[in-house]
Amino acid sequence: GKVVRPVTFTPNQPDHQRAFGFQLPSTRAIPSLMPDRFGPSLIGSLWACAGIVAGSLGPWTSSSTLDHSGIDECGVITLVLALCAVTALITLMVRDVTPEIKNHCTGPLVGIAVLIVAVGNAASIVRRSTEFAGHTAGPSIGWGLWVVIVSAVILCITSSTVAHTIRFQAAMITRS
């Protein structure tokens, strides 16, 4: 009944093909994108997240008597958002990036959300201070909040560059 055909092997054949005598189907239907093209922006995004974490732990409100850390204000929100962005960005760095994975949008979205929270807190702090005889009395914005604001802007720019590069590479793959 059954015809058995001999299996032929080529010198560069993977081990699983030699062992089983057949080629396993590819697990990747869509080719991965090359992360080396967006590596510098990805590294910049990770540094921006580190700045958000450091600034979230630093003082957001500074006054002559007492400094309040970001954790006392809305720093917990910015801290959690930065850690979410770090997770998504590291995933982009260590795994194959394919067009169907949408975690490349996390960085810009987190940057915008952190910026909204930080600028809102800065406006609230400025409203708490009063001007008296040419001198400002009351709390001022601490260095931690400034670091969060600047880092959020950097995260928006660098992670948007990463997302744009991924979308551009995906479009080039689908055209070919």
Side-chain angles (χ1 to χ4, degrees):
K2 190 174 183 182
V3 177
V4 178
R5 294 188 184 133
V7 178
T8 57
F9 298 105
T10 57
N12 295 329
Q13 203 168 19
D15 290 336
H16 70 273
Q17 290 177 12
R18 275 194 215 114
F20 299 111
F22 62 90
Q23 184 173 352
L24 295 174
S26 175
T27 56
R28 269 195 316 209
I30 299 173
S32 66
L33 306 175
M34 292 185 278
D36 57 337
R37 296 225 174 135
F38 51 85
S41 294
L42 192 59
I43 299 295
S45 297
L46 289 169
W47 276 108
C49 288
I52 292 171
V53 169
S56 296
L57 299 173
W60 279 24
T61 306
S62 182
S63 66
S64 58
T65 58
L66 186 60
D67 289 345
H68 291 281
S69 74
I71 302 300
D72 297 337
E73 304 281 337
C74 292
V76 173
I77 296 169
T78 59
L79 184 65
V80 169
L81 286 170
L83 295 176
C84 290
V86 165
T87 303
L89 293 167
I90 288 178
T91 302
L92 287 176
M93 184 179 280
V94 298
R95 294 183 64 202
D96 286 337
V97 179
T98 58
E100 71 269 4
I101 297 175
K102 300 296 182 197
N103 63 344
H104 62 273
C105 299
T106 305
L109 293 174
V110 165
I112 291 167
V114 168
L115 201 54
I116 290 169
V117 169
V119 169
N121 272 273
S124 172
I125 292 168
V126 169
R127 273 186 259 130
R128 283 188 252 161
S129 62
T130 58
E131 191 147 333
F132 181 73
H135 295 288
T136 304
S140 61
I141 299 173
W143 66 263
L145 188 53
W146 287 116
V147 169
V148 169
I149 291 170
V150 170
S151 297
V153 169
I154 292 170
L155 180 61
C156 285
I157 294 167
T158 56
S159 61
S160 293
T161 303
V162 170
H164 175 72
T165 304
I166 290 172
R167 284 192 301 270
F168 177 75
Q169 287 181 0
M172 296 306 287
I173 288 173
T174 55
R175 283 186 201 158
S176 47

